[in-house]
Amino acid sequence: MFIPPFCPNPACPYHEQKPYPDTWYSHNGTYTTASYGEVPRFKCRHCGKGFSMKTFHIDYYVKIRCNYSLIFSYLVSSAGSRDIARALSVSTDVVQNRVARLGRQCMAVHSKLMSSATLEEDFAADGFESFCYSQYFPNNIHLLVGCKSLCAYYANGVTIRRKGRMREDQKEKREEIEKRWKPDRGGICRSFKDLLGEMKGYFERMRRERIILYTDEKYEYRKAISDREEFRRMRDEGKLIHHRTSSRRARTVANPLFPVNYIDREIRKGVANHHRETVQWAKDMSEMMNRLLIYLVYHNLKMPNRVREERCDPRVHAEIAGVSKESIDREWRDIFKARRFLSHHRIPEFWREIWFGLLRTPLDLRGGYRPKYLAV
């Protein structure tokens, strides 16, 4: 018999995840669906909120059942939306909807597990360049990676201006496009400041007096640290050491930027949107970031650190970062079943925009459909 764990209304005192007496809710009949049969309904006696058993399932408001574990496996194996749709005999709209649900699940699980990690390592950060919708709209995806664990702690992105060598007709087309849409100036600097804010949150939980941040020699990174008083103070007091390495240096294990270079390589081969010369480029910024975060959570929670016999380490990257194996197993056990509620997790601000589908794709004036249930 199903027992509701809490009230889904965020304003209700029975919304917190803790044991409650069975008297806080009452049974309110059932309804029947073609996909799930008879579904019991309930009502909160305190706030009057009505809900059903499916409210707490990842398949809330779903009419077509899909195997989420199979979709996840396809995603981390660099399959595109049409590949998955053909394999499951569903439309690409159904696939995109399920990918968005998986993305929200992964963001919540990552945030919860990383909040319990016993962190004791330095960080490497760099920008990963790709594009969305058109090569005239490149984006810079910043990654924060642990130097010891190779765990990807955070990622954000910003659309930037197309640069590099172009033919005259390409330059003219870029000028025409920029009459309709132009990326904000200083986007890379703002994006890196956001990453620094997340890094500072991790540092405050450490038992260390200082932390080293490894980046390349990009001017925006130095400016981001100098512009914010809190980061500038950390640098001046010796709590933050900014170590810069040339991006032209050989990308070997001896390179201080190896952790973030390694993640770059994994993304290039593991996410269809970011293959070189791909025909499966992203069409929507929020969907692109969703897929990326799904892959990073897979990298952190399921991929072993080392597989070669001479350096074999079967622990996953999150374990080396300080997350217990029991916590990982507990969260992974129902990641494809139990719905994660936004109100129960501390999600970074940029990830909240992904959660709500608010990242705007250049020249896309339509916006996206944002169901009300995303706010719960």
Side-chain angles (χ1 to χ4, degrees):
M1 179 180 176
F2 175 77
I3 299 177
F6 52 84
C7 177
N9 178 11
C12 181
Y14 290 104
H15 181 67
E16 297 299 321
Q17 288 180 299
K18 59 183 181 182
Y20 294 117
D22 292 344
T23 55
W24 70 269
Y25 69 90
S26 61
H27 292 272
N28 194 27
T30 62
Y31 68 94
T32 304
T33 67
S35 298
Y36 300 98
E38 191 174 76
V39 180
R41 291 185 59 84
F42 307 90
K43 186 175 183 179
C44 178
R45 288 178 172 171
H46 185 273
C47 67
K49 174 71 174 178
F51 54 94
S52 73
M53 182 178 69
K54 300 307 296 180
T55 302
F56 303 94
H57 196 276
I58 189 175
D59 267 341
Y60 52 96
Y61 292 99
V62 157
K63 306 297 186 291
I64 299 175
R65 303 181 72 169
C66 293
N67 187 328
Y68 284 92
S69 178
L70 190 58
I71 294 175
F72 186 90
S73 299
Y74 280 128
L75 286 174
V76 299
S77 301
S78 72
S81 294
R82 292 187 184 278
D83 296 331
I84 301 172
R86 281 191 292 268
L88 300 181
S89 300
V90 296
S91 69
T92 54
D93 287 343
V94 170
V95 172
Q96 289 168 1
N97 177 275
R98 303 310 186 270
V99 170
R101 290 167 185 263
L102 283 174
R104 293 191 286 271
Q105 295 285 100
C106 288
M107 283 186 272
V109 166
H110 175 89
S111 299
K112 183 175 181 178
L113 290 177
M114 289 300 116
S115 66
S116 64
T118 55
L119 306 172
E120 292 296 332
E121 62 179 333
D122 297 315
F123 295 104
D126 197 11
F128 172 89
E129 290 203 3
S130 187
F131 69 94
C132 179
Y133 187 70
S134 165
Q135 292 192 23
Y136 287 95
F137 307 119
N139 45 56
N140 192 91
I141 301 170
H142 281 124
L143 300 167
L144 182 67
V145 185
C147 290
K148 177 184 175 183
S149 65
L150 304 182
C151 178
Y153 288 100
Y154 185 62
N156 63 15
V158 62
T159 302
I160 58 178
R161 189 171 188 253
R162 180 173 179 175
K163 57 186 185 296
R165 185 180 300 175
M166 289 182 286
R167 302 189 306 270
E168 288 301 318
D169 62 308
Q170 291 175 325
K171 293 179 181 179
E172 292 174 2
K173 184 173 181 178
R174 185 182 67 175
E175 291 177 1
E176 288 298 318
I177 289 174
E178 289 182 346
K179 292 177 182 178
R180 302 166 57 195
W181 183 90
K182 202 170 185 178
D184 296 333
R185 293 178 63 88
I188 291 180
C189 190
R190 285 194 300 274
S191 177
F192 196 72
K193 288 178 184 177
D194 175 54
L195 180 141
L196 289 173
E198 291 300 314
M199 185 196 71
K200 182 174 180 288
Y202 285 121
F203 173 65
E204 289 173 347
R205 292 166 33 211
M206 295 183 183
R207 300 188 300 271
R208 304 178 64 179
E209 295 182 356
R210 68 174 188 176
I211 189 172
I212 303 176
L213 175 64
Y214 296 94
T215 71
D216 61 21
E217 297 174 330
K218 189 172 288 186
Y219 163 75
E220 287 87 351
Y221 298 164
R222 288 181 293 167
K223 186 176 186 301
I225 294 176
S226 299
D227 283 354
R228 291 277 291 272
E229 182 181 353
E230 53 184 327
F231 303 134
R232 189 168 61 247
R233 189 187 310 118
M234 288 177 62
R235 182 193 61 190
D236 295 342
E237 294 175 354
K239 295 181 179 180
L240 173 61
I241 298 175
H242 185 199
H243 186 284
R244 293 176 302 225
T245 302
S246 172
S247 57
R248 297 179 181 272
R249 183 170 170 176
R251 298 193 170 196
T252 62
V253 179
N255 189 327
L257 295 178
F258 170 76
V260 74
N261 291 337
Y262 165 73
I263 297 293
D264 284 358
R265 185 196 68 181
E266 293 297 293
I267 293 173
R268 286 287 182 206
K269 73 177 181 62
V271 185
N273 294 160
H274 307 297
H275 292 339
R276 296 290 186 185
E277 302 300 329
T278 182
V279 295
Q280 300 184 91
W281 63 82
K283 313 302 189 297
D284 181 271
M285 274 292 292
S286 293
E287 291 178 7
M288 182 192 76
M289 292 302 301
N290 253 325
R291 285 171 173 264
L292 179 68
L293 293 177
I294 289 171
Y295 186 82
L296 293 181
V297 168
Y298 164 75
H299 167 85
N300 291 342
L301 305 185
K302 302 303 289 183
M303 289 182 66
N305 186 48
R306 289 286 185 270
V307 293
R308 291 186 178 181
E309 293 182 2
E310 65 271 17
R311 293 182 296 177
C312 182
D313 187 351
R315 294 179 300 168
V316 297
H317 300 287
E319 283 185 83
I320 301 174
V323 182
S324 68
K325 187 177 187 302
E326 292 74 20
S327 298
I328 296 173
D329 292 342
R330 182 173 59 252
E331 290 298 320
W332 196 262
R333 193 176 301 124
D334 61 357
I335 191 172
F336 303 127
K337 295 180 181 179
R339 173 188 177 186
R340 266 56 177 187
F341 287 72
L342 177 63
S343 49
H344 287 161
H345 298 85
R346 179 199 168 273
I347 306 293
E349 190 60 35
F350 183 82
W351 288 12
R352 291 175 72 92
E353 294 186 30
I354 302 172
W355 186 293
F356 288 105
L358 296 177
L359 297 184
R360 296 303 297 271
T361 304
L363 298 183
D364 184 6
L365 304 178
R366 300 168 298 170
Y369 170 64
R370 302 178 187 91
K372 292 181 179 180
Y373 57 70
L374 295 184
V376 178

